[in-house]
Amino acid sequence: MSKTSEPRSYLVLENYIRGQFVPCQSHIDSYDPSTGEVYCKVPDSGEEEVEAAVAAAKDAFPGWSDRSPGQRAQILNKLADLIEANLDEFAQAESRDQGKTITFARTVDIPRSAYNFRFFASSALHHTTDCSQMDHMGCLNYTIRCPVGVAGLISPWNLPLYLLTWKIAPAIAAGNTVVAKPSEMTSVTAWMLCKLMQQAGVPPGVVNIVFGTGPKAGNAIVGHPDIPLISFTGSTATAQLITERSAPYCKKLSLELGGKNPAIVFADADLNQCIETTVRSSFSNQGEICLCTSRIYVERSIYPEFLERFVAAAKKWKTGDPTDDSNNNGALISKEHLEKVRSFVALAKSEGGVVHCGEGVDQLDLPERTANGYFMPATVITGMSDSSRVMQEEIFGPVTCISPFSTEDEAVSKGNGVRYGLSATVWSRDVGKVHRVARRLQAGLVWTNCWLVRDLNLPFGGMKNSGVGREGGKDSYHFFTEVKSVTIKH
């Protein structure tokens, strides 16, 4: 007698509109990157679902915007409390959905997601406005800031809840309502967040989350005439489409885009600290962070020692099952993305580059459960021309290239020699040098002798093709509000 296989059960997500979960007619397959298997069905939303979400957000706006910053802050703090109370559940879901290690999700993604709500709850209480007197004309001038209305928020797949909450928190703290779309590849923690909204006291329609693809759901959000503002994190190519699509409506745009971030290592750097940190900045989260280091320029006199020590450290950066706490990296987001990253390594080899470790050099020892997952070891390449696509384009994987330089001017020129300008790191004990180089580098963020140290009060964003606008404490408040000048004659 033949056995019939049990039908596989999937996690089926629903849109969250007007405080209710709403089923969708069609769905998209979502994969567990560590196994390569479909485990979740994500709504394939379009104009109809976005229209319903916008209507809900518009209806909720008057009541929400009338609340005081303190009243709104209480709800943001409650959301933070609830995320923290469910931290392990969120971390496990984020790891399975995105491929990152559960350790990274537990120590970085989810704590930061809670902190985003807590930070903007506090920040919103401390903004001030401008005032000027014109006594000779008997006038007093002052400014007020008003929420914009319905904010369209589109977040990426690399830090799913972390970057979604980075947008939702300041938007609603300022009194806006939102229609948000997370990546269709990593939607589960956004859906889990929706389950906490009512418990936290978020009124229906203040936060609406519509799941789906960029070309359908994202396009409907960006092109909706009643969404006056878009905050987007993702690729430069998609941002160009968003800019074109939103142009007829003169929407406010904040675009946080790609990076090809340099590390500049001078001969007087503390190499122990530098190598440990730069391995982490190159490969953390599988290299799938817009701020990751992908080009390392090392002063020629220490280049051989640096290269030897860096490759040795990279070989110790463990890649494997995301549920294993001993692993540093998990799986890349998708089969297509893994193939794209591998194609850059193949291109490097075809152009005469040397692959010192990682892809094609080191074999991964994966448990059977993850044999079909999208894994790639930390990869270090040398010998590339500055004009190569490997050195010019964002790879967004566990790949970094190392090159020597001779002078400070050459280092700055190489660092600035790409179309991106998101972040950079500088390693030197010379205080004057780090100030000088930081000023000359074309990057929105420059870290010296450290990486990814973030004060959320400060502006975040990039130059050149790495974005438009800044977000952070005051910058987010300015973006999510409109300023109005008022003159009173007395």
Side-chain angles (χ1 to χ4, degrees):
M1 186 172 163
S2 63
K3 291 183 179 177
T4 56
S5 60
E6 288 287 320
R8 180 175 293 176
S9 62
Y10 299 104
L11 178 62
V12 180
L13 308 189
E14 294 178 318
N15 291 320
Y16 186 73
I17 298 171
R18 210 177 288 270
Q20 302 287 327
F21 284 101
V22 182
C24 191
Q25 296 297 314
S26 57
H27 294 84
I28 306 158
D29 288 341
S30 183
Y31 292 80
D32 177 340
S34 70
T35 64
E37 294 179 351
V38 176
Y39 86 104
C40 178
K41 300 286 186 177
V42 176
D44 187 14
S45 306
E47 289 186 5
E48 182 181 343
E49 291 82 4
V50 169
E51 190 62 54
V54 173
K58 287 176 67 179
D59 290 345
F61 177 71
W64 182 248
S65 59
D66 277 348
R67 296 197 185 195
S68 71
Q71 290 171 324
R72 294 193 293 260
Q74 285 182 328
I75 291 175
L76 268 71
N77 277 317
K78 182 63 174 172
L79 276 170
D81 292 342
L82 291 168
I83 292 171
E84 287 172 347
N86 294 278
L87 189 146
D88 278 340
E89 187 182 349
F90 272 101
Q92 289 172 27
E94 200 75 292
S95 173
R96 186 177 187 190
D97 207 26
Q98 200 274 340
K100 68 181 71 216
T101 64
I102 196 163
T103 302
F104 195 89
R106 188 186 291 124
T107 58
V108 178
D109 289 68
I110 309 308
R112 171 61 189 274
S113 301
Y115 183 63
N116 284 336
F117 282 114
R118 218 175 283 294
F119 171 82
F120 285 107
S122 173
S123 176
L125 304 178
H126 303 291
H127 297 298
T128 57
T129 54
D130 299 321
C131 177
S132 70
Q133 294 171 259
M134 299 174 70
D135 290 340
H136 63 290
M137 297 186 69
C139 289
L140 177 73
N141 307 292
Y142 64 90
T143 60
I144 57 175
R145 283 196 166 270
C146 308
V148 177
V150 180
L153 313 176
I154 301 174
S155 57
W157 50 256
N158 60 324
L159 299 164
L161 192 65
Y162 176 135
L163 290 175
L164 179 66
T165 55
W166 172 245
K167 299 178 184 301
I168 291 175
I172 65 174
N176 301 282
T177 55
V178 308
V179 175
K181 188 199 86 68
S183 168
E184 70 276 16
M185 291 191 281
T186 52
S187 295
V188 172
T189 49
W191 173 75
M192 291 169 64
L193 179 67
C194 296
K195 293 181 173 184
L196 305 180
M197 291 291 170
Q198 187 174 359
Q199 194 177 345
V202 179
V206 171
V207 175
N208 306 275
I209 297 189
V210 177
F211 300 101
T213 66
K216 278 183 68 177
N219 188 55
I221 291 170
V222 171
H224 199 290
D226 293 330
I227 297 180
L229 169 155
I230 301 291
S231 173
F232 168 78
T233 300
S235 73
T236 300
T238 301
Q240 290 167 346
L241 296 173
I242 288 173
T243 304
E244 293 168 6
R245 185 81 172 91
S246 63
Y249 306 100
C250 298
K251 298 184 185 231
K252 289 184 81 173
L253 297 179
S254 177
L255 307 172
E256 196 277 283
L257 312 177
K260 190 69 176 174
N261 310 304
I264 297 176
V265 183
F266 288 98
D268 64 345
D270 178 339
L271 279 191
N272 290 333
Q273 182 189 8
C274 172
I275 288 168
E276 179 188 347
T277 304
T278 308
V279 166
R280 187 166 55 87
S281 72
S282 298
F283 304 125
S284 283
N285 202 52
Q286 304 77 240
E288 295 170 330
I289 303 176
C290 56
L291 301 164
C292 273
T293 302
S294 52
R295 297 177 294 141
I296 304 171
Y297 298 110
V298 183
E299 194 160 356
R300 201 171 293 276
S301 62
I302 61 164
Y303 178 78
E305 179 191 357
F306 180 93
L307 178 60
E308 181 182 353
R309 291 176 61 181
F310 187 89
V311 170
K315 286 180 179 236
K316 293 177 182 175
W317 189 265
K318 288 184 64 180
T319 298
D321 187 341
T323 63
D324 184 342
D325 286 339
S326 71
N327 286 327
N328 303 104
N329 272 2
L332 275 71
I333 184 65
S334 68
K335 185 179 180 181
E336 293 76 15
H337 187 61
L338 174 62
E339 289 171 353
K340 174 200 155 185
V341 176
R342 283 176 170 167
S343 75
F344 276 100
V345 180
L347 176 62
K349 288 161 87 171
S350 74
E351 294 180 352
V354 178
V355 180
H356 294 264
C357 63
E359 177 62 24
V361 177
D362 302 305
Q363 286 294 114
L364 290 173
D365 183 18
L366 298 170
E368 188 178 346
R369 186 187 78 83
T370 60
N372 295 318
Y374 314 131
F375 296 92
M376 179 174 171
T379 301
V380 179
I381 300 172
T382 60
M384 300 309 301
S385 160
D386 285 337
S387 62
S388 168
R389 285 178 51 227
V390 178
M391 296 291 279
Q392 290 290 320
E393 296 183 18
E394 185 177 41
I395 298 174
F396 217 62
V399 179
T400 196
C401 298
I402 308 180
S403 299
F405 70 86
S406 297
T407 66
E408 182 180 316
D409 284 347
E410 183 189 2
V412 171
S413 176
K414 285 176 177 289
N416 290 340
V418 296
R419 64 192 178 108
Y420 297 103
L422 185 55
S423 73
T425 55
V426 180
W427 292 89
S428 173
R429 290 185 173 96
D430 184 330
V431 174
K433 185 182 291 181
V434 296
H435 282 292
R436 201 164 55 239
V437 174
R439 183 176 183 84
R440 295 176 67 192
L441 286 171
Q442 296 165 351
L445 302 96
V446 180
W447 285 287
T448 65
N449 302 321
C450 63
W451 177 69
L452 209 58
V453 177
R454 291 275 291 117
D455 177 350
L456 301 192
N457 284 293
L458 298 182
F460 181 91
M463 300 179 180
K464 303 193 286 190
N465 281 27
S466 286
V468 174
R470 297 291 186 273
E471 294 184 13
K474 186 186 293 185
D475 295 88
S476 290
Y477 179 63
H478 286 177
F479 177 67
F480 285 110
T481 57
E482 289 284 15
V483 67
K484 184 182 298 184
S485 296
V486 180
T487 301
I488 307 293
K489 186 168 177 63
H490 53 79

